[in-house]
Amino acid sequence: MVHDELARATAAARVAYRDTTRLIRLLSVLGEPARPEQLLDRTLAVLSEVFFTEIVVVAHQAGNRLLAIGSFGFAEDDPVLREGWPVGPAAAEALGTGQLVTRAGLLDGELPSSAVPLGIHSAAWVPLAAELDSEDLLILLRRSRTAFTPSEQHMLRSVAARLRLAVEERERAIVLEQLARYGHLLARHLELAPLLDEAVEMLRRLTAADQTWVVTIDHDQAVLRAHRGLSDADVAEWPRPAGRVDDWRPAAMARSAATGAAVDDRVVLRVPVLRDGTLVAVLFAARQRRRPFAPGAAELTAIFANHLAVAIVNAELYRRLQRRATEDPLTGLANRVLVGQRLERALAGPPTAPVGLLFCDLDRFKAVNDLLGHEAGDELLQQVGQRLRRSVRPTDLLARFGGDEFVIVLDAVRDLGEVAEVGHRVSGALDREFRLRGERVRVSASIGGVLGIPGQTTASAMLRDADAAMYVAKERGLGQVEVFDEAASHQALDRLDLRSELSQALDRGQLEVYYQPIHSLGTGRVVALEALLRWHHPRHGHVPPEVFIPLAEDTGAIMQIGDWVLGQACRQLARWQAELPADPPLAISVNLAGAQLRQTGAAERILDTIRGAGVDPTHVWLEVTENTNLSDRVSNAAEALAAAGVHFALDDFGTAYSSLSYLRRFPIELLKIDLTFVAGITDRERDRGVVRAILAIAESLELTAVGEGIEAEPQRAALAELGCQLGQGHLFSPPLPAGAATTYLRGNAPTKPLPTG
Ligand code: C2E
Ligand code: MG
Ligand code: MG
């Protein structure tokens, strides 16, 4: 009896001793300073030893599988370590209740496949956290049929609690490794949507959150642009009204970082995604409040956020590249590439849905560019683009086609009438003046329109015809709209040929210089003749200089043609001066395109031509318009010419963007009053006022005034009375071919006063 009791006491003492030694060993392992992953491995090894188990493993629940975080007893290459194993009933119970579960006997359904052949008879599943829905288990498997005793279980519970920290560290290390391995893979997404989708999924895995979502922020628009992982309703409601970007400052977020802020029954991590210090997106991860995030989760998410920032930048870069291919960088409108694509798509539709096309070319845009500079010109194009945008339907494609040309593709229009209607609306949108760097600028557009029936025409034919219609509109004057049906398109094609034919016009002898006398309004004598170019086209007859001079400027042909006109005119002057000597001698006035002054060596070239014709430069007037760009090069050329004695006349004064500084900066000696003012001088008070003002300017700057387009005696008289010294116009003579001009000069001997009245 006593012996039995002694034996029991001894046994108990032995067990207690054994348990105590085990605990001491375990505690000493857990207490030793070691890196977390080493600690985990060593703890598992000691556990295996002191509990006589074949296998000890710490596993993490991922869905319905368990994945080993650390293990002892499996072969290193055991597939179980890679792939995990199904959550069995005992494991499920332990995970669900947070309570330790033991089993002894047949355990097949509970074990990793590679443990089955070992003949495991006893097992324990110990949740690492003593709470519901724990996710990590310490699992011990042994062959011995002995069940885990209460004191062993007690010991395991306290070991598990201590292991938890080490496991969290280990988990974090694994996640970091994943991040390092896969984070940059985010950047393989070129589109934002799939990128964000993957980010949401990766973030969920990294933080083991119940729910994750990403919101991107567009600061320009002050809106949340894309949100993944949340419904629209969620975004508006939770975690706080998301409409105001102000609330999404990184600083405000930092406060809630660390382990997340409590919202409702959840804990929410909010981590900013920054690019160059600017918030581009916010990452969210939420977990049930009773299962807070592991320490360091915010830090981890921040690392992830860096990866995401890079990927978002990439996606944006790609989007921009893609856009650049189809977008006009200046106006942000579509470019010609997109016009072609869109037209082709529309023309592939049913014949019942005709396609409209409008071709708009700004009138006198070159003038704005030349006068106010290219930057102002660019700004004007942007403003025009915005106005046009508002004048068409959102579904219509508005594109900048190049230079000052805009194109509008109208999907599904009724008929040509509707195309014309839109054309007029577009034209009307430009009526109001533009504000450009403090200056008020007016522009109009010449607009050509066509209708295309799917199956009957092509994109390029439509573009060609609309362009032709635009040219016809341009010839009719400023701000005109012209629409073409089939027949008109064919006729108009001829006009397009003008451009290419112009370069050969000179060689083919189709150009001729006409001369219009310029009289002194006081004495009536002819003081000079203006050279005016004529193009006799074999098919089109007389092509007006207003049509072909701008074309020549566009194509560059103006250089050669301009030189030729100057040479012709000077040679003619030399002949007249020889035949009809006068004092002061007769002068010649020649129109000069801006480009002629811009070319290198302009002054030398012009003086060579003048002197080569045997003419004294002081007998030459060069007419420039205010549209001539006042670059340094132009000013220098003008100064050099003026120094050689050439006189400059400012043509069409009052019609362009008059600026008095122009008069100061250009060596002008003559002002030509545009014929539109002269036309109204006798019956429009306003025109009379303008002429009076121009003459006052001329007088104060000591310039000689020339009235243009004088058709009737009262106009001449009015000009003379207001103090205009010189004049030209049909009243005296229209421009004449050289021969007729010679006859005219003979009949109006320079010394003989012209009969007036
Ligand atoms: P511009 O230099 O202002 O020339 C005056 C225009 O008024 C000429 O038109 C002339 O024929 C026209 N005209 C003259 N008297 C009267 C009149 O009493 N009534 C009316 N209604 N019109 C009159 P044109 O010859 O058609 O030339 C038009 C413009 O073409 C010229 O305007 C000039 O800017 C340009 N141009 C002509 N020849 C040349 C040239 O050789 N080189 C350059 N760069 N431009 C030229
Ligand atoms: Mg002129
Ligand atoms: Mg003029």
Side-chain angles (χ1 to χ4, degrees):
M1 184 67 182
V2 171
H3 179 79
D4 281 357
E5 272 179 29
L6 186 64
R8 266 206 304 277
T10 311
R14 198 176 293 131
V15 168
Y17 175 76
R18 195 191 63 198
D19 287 352
T20 310
T21 9
R22 282 171 167 181
L23 198 57
I24 288 169
R25 282 206 60 189
L26 275 172
L27 291 180
S28 66
V29 169
L30 284 172
E32 268 171 38
R35 287 198 291 126
E37 59 272 26
Q38 292 173 333
L39 177 69
L40 183 60
D41 289 343
R42 275 165 48 192
T43 307
L44 297 186
V46 174
L47 278 173
S48 160
E49 201 182 306
V50 299
F51 289 95
F52 309 107
T53 60
E54 272 59 44
I55 287 176
V56 188
V57 54
V58 171
H60 177 81
Q61 182 188 14
N64 55 5
R65 291 184 82 73
L66 290 169
L67 294 171
I69 292 171
S71 69
F72 181 86
F74 285 117
E76 217 170 277
D77 57 352
D78 193 323
V80 153
L81 293 181
R82 252 191 353 263
E83 291 153 19
W85 62 99
V87 177
E93 187 187 329
L95 287 168
T97 59
Q99 301 296 318
L100 184 147
V101 174
T102 57
R103 293 274 192 279
L106 274 179
L107 296 169
D108 284 9
E110 307 279 7
L111 304 178
S113 53
S114 52
V116 174
L118 298 177
I120 302 296
H121 282 100
S122 177
W125 290 265
V126 195
L128 289 200
E131 57 198 23
L132 302 178
D133 299 322
S134 168
E135 286 179 327
D136 299 304
L137 290 176
L138 168 65
I139 303 167
L140 296 96
L141 309 174
R142 62 185 178 201
R143 262 195 219 137
S144 147
R145 285 166 203 274
T146 327
F148 285 86
T149 64
S151 89
E152 276 180 329
Q153 293 180 19
H154 180 75
M155 223 182 298
L156 283 174
R157 273 190 213 100
S158 67
V159 171
R162 282 160 189 263
L163 259 186
R164 181 176 175 183
L165 246 140
V167 166
E168 270 165 3
E169 283 295 329
R170 163 63 66 95
E171 280 179 332
R172 191 163 164 259
I174 291 173
V175 163
L176 274 173
E177 196 189 307
Q178 275 191 356
L179 246 185
R181 277 234 301 274
Y182 304 115
H184 68 275
L185 287 182
L186 276 176
R188 77 180 183 278
H189 290 287
L190 295 177
E191 304 279 350
L192 195 62
L195 165 65
L196 295 181
D197 285 341
E198 174 148 2
V200 165
E201 184 48 34
M202 276 181 95
L203 182 62
R204 203 182 55 74
R205 270 188 284 136
L206 290 176
T207 56
D210 301 326
Q211 191 189 18
T212 50
W213 64 103
V214 179
V215 174
T216 65
I217 290 171
D218 184 338
H219 286 274
D220 293 343
Q221 311 272 320
V223 292
L224 310 174
R225 200 169 41 191
H227 35 82
R228 287 308 221 241
L230 269 196
S231 71
D232 282 348
D234 280 345
V235 169
E237 292 284 318
W238 195 82
R240 55 161 73 190
R244 299 204 326 274
V245 169
D246 282 0
D247 292 343
W248 302 68
R249 276 167 313 206
M253 249 166 276
R255 271 181 260 128
S256 75
T259 51
V263 179
D264 307 333
D265 59 340
R266 293 191 262 191
V267 179
V268 182
L269 269 187
R270 252 200 327 181
V271 177
V273 180
L274 300 169
R275 192 179 73 199
D276 302 332
T278 319
L279 188 65
V280 292
V282 185
L283 296 175
F284 290 89
R287 263 173 87 133
Q288 293 300 312
R289 202 168 185 167
R290 57 194 156 78
R291 297 191 313 115
F293 284 100
E299 218 178 301
L300 198 74
T301 310
I303 298 172
F304 178 70
N306 287 341
H307 282 287
L308 185 59
V310 172
I312 287 180
V313 171
N314 277 359
E316 225 150 70
L317 226 67
Y318 175 74
R319 198 164 46 98
R320 256 186 253 150
L321 278 178
Q322 232 187 357
R323 233 205 271 149
R324 194 179 301 168
T326 53
E327 189 190 83
D328 168 47
L330 178 66
T331 58
L333 300 175
N335 65 9
R336 60 198 309 152
V337 175
L338 209 58
V339 168
Q341 289 174 2
R342 179 76 174 256
L343 268 180
E344 260 153 33
R345 210 178 58 207
L347 286 173
T352 46
V355 188
L357 180 68
L358 288 170
F359 204 106
C360 317
D361 184 285
L362 298 187
D363 300 318
R364 294 201 186 143
F365 174 71
K366 222 172 134 327
V368 181
N369 238 358
D370 286 352
L371 199 72
L372 299 180
H374 282 278
E375 281 175 27
D378 285 353
E379 216 176 294
L380 180 62
L381 289 174
Q382 289 168 338
Q383 289 191 30
V384 166
Q386 285 161 13
R387 287 244 191 118
L388 295 188
R389 178 77 275 170
R390 272 178 260 133
S391 70
V392 296
R393 298 172 298 185
T395 48
D396 297 331
L397 178 76
L398 170 65
R400 177 159 167 252
F401 211 60
D404 57 351
E405 298 167 335
F406 293 84
V407 159
I408 303 164
V409 180
L410 309 165
D411 274 344
V413 284
R414 267 192 328 274
D415 49 24
L416 195 60
E418 193 180 338
V419 176
E421 218 176 281
V422 181
H424 285 288
R425 199 166 67 227
V426 166
S427 172
L430 301 178
D431 279 350
R432 233 174 349 103
E433 60 192 7
F434 289 86
R435 287 248 168 203
L436 215 58
R437 304 166 175 229
E439 308 233 17
R440 292 154 185 271
V441 176
R442 277 188 184 287
V443 280
S444 56
S446 298
I447 300 176
V450 288
L451 187 74
I453 312 289
Q456 294 177 21
T457 185
T458 63
S460 61
M462 280 187 78
L463 281 166
R464 184 196 61 204
D465 294 350
D467 190 43
M470 185 278 292
Y471 268 107
V472 170
K474 193 144 273 200
E475 279 173 32
R476 291 216 326 260
L478 305 178
Q480 301 294 312
V481 178
E482 179 76 47
V483 291
F484 272 9
D485 52 23
E486 268 299 297
S489 298
H490 289 297
Q491 276 174 16
L493 281 182
D494 297 343
R495 313 228 177 206
L496 279 186
D497 295 338
L498 285 183
R499 245 173 221 265
S500 51
E501 287 171 353
L502 188 57
S503 54
Q504 293 138 26
L506 192 56
D507 296 336
R508 293 181 180 166
Q510 296 167 359
L511 299 185
E512 187 183 2
V513 181
Y514 275 40
Y515 300 91
Q516 185 175 41
I518 299 173
H519 289 263
S520 156
L521 295 186
T523 65
R525 54 171 282 197
V526 178
V527 294
L529 291 104
E530 177 175 4
L532 292 161
L533 188 55
R534 296 291 175 261
W535 182 5
H536 309 291
H537 191 280
R539 272 176 299 129
H540 300 300
H542 168 73
V543 181
E546 260 113 354
V547 171
F548 73 82
I549 294 286
L551 292 185
E553 288 181 347
D554 273 6
T555 60
I558 193 69
M559 299 294 196
Q560 208 199 350
I561 293 175
D563 275 353
W564 179 79
V565 170
L566 183 64
Q568 282 293 104
C570 287
R571 280 189 291 276
Q572 186 58 55
L573 178 70
R575 266 178 248 134
W576 282 330
Q577 286 183 339
E579 191 188 326
L580 305 158
D583 187 24
L586 206 55
I588 190 84
S589 197
V590 180
N591 294 282
L592 210 62
Q596 287 177 271
L597 278 179
R598 270 197 296 278
Q599 62 187 328
T600 34
E604 295 75 23
R605 189 161 163 173
I606 290 169
L607 285 173
D608 280 355
T609 308
I610 294 171
R611 295 196 177 112
V615 166
D616 183 337
T618 59
H619 301 149
V620 175
W621 304 356
L622 294 180
E623 300 191 9
V624 296
T625 64
E626 288 165 297
N627 300 338
T628 306
N629 186 0
L630 270 189
S631 64
D632 284 350
R633 182 183 275 183
V634 169
S635 301
N636 292 343
E639 289 299 341
L641 287 164
V646 172
H647 309 278
F648 278 98
L650 190 53
D651 206 350
D652 306 338
F653 188 71
T655 55
Y657 309 95
S658 296
S659 125
L660 293 179
S661 70
Y662 199 99
L663 290 176
R664 271 195 287 115
R665 292 169 56 203
F666 211 89
I668 298 289
E669 291 175 71
L670 298 111
L671 264 195
K672 299 193 77 172
I673 305 171
D674 193 67
L675 48 81
T676 52
F677 302 122
V678 173
I681 192 170
T682 48
D683 37 46
R684 269 199 298 265
E685 199 38 57
R686 215 173 146 238
D687 286 350
R688 204 180 157 84
V690 171
V691 172
R692 193 182 288 123
I694 293 174
L695 288 169
I697 292 169
E699 195 189 341
S700 68
L701 296 174
E702 299 182 328
L703 308 174
T704 303
V706 186
E708 286 187 296
I710 305 172
E711 293 182 347
E713 171 49 30
Q715 294 170 339
R716 187 206 62 82
L719 280 169
E721 189 200 313
L722 290 171
C724 180
Q725 297 97 326
L726 305 177
Q728 64 188 105
H730 294 167
L731 173 67
F732 305 109
S733 166
L736 301 167
T742 308
T743 311
Y744 182 87
L745 284 175
R746 283 201 196 109
N748 290 273
T751 44
K752 196 178 117 197
L754 192 82
T756 57

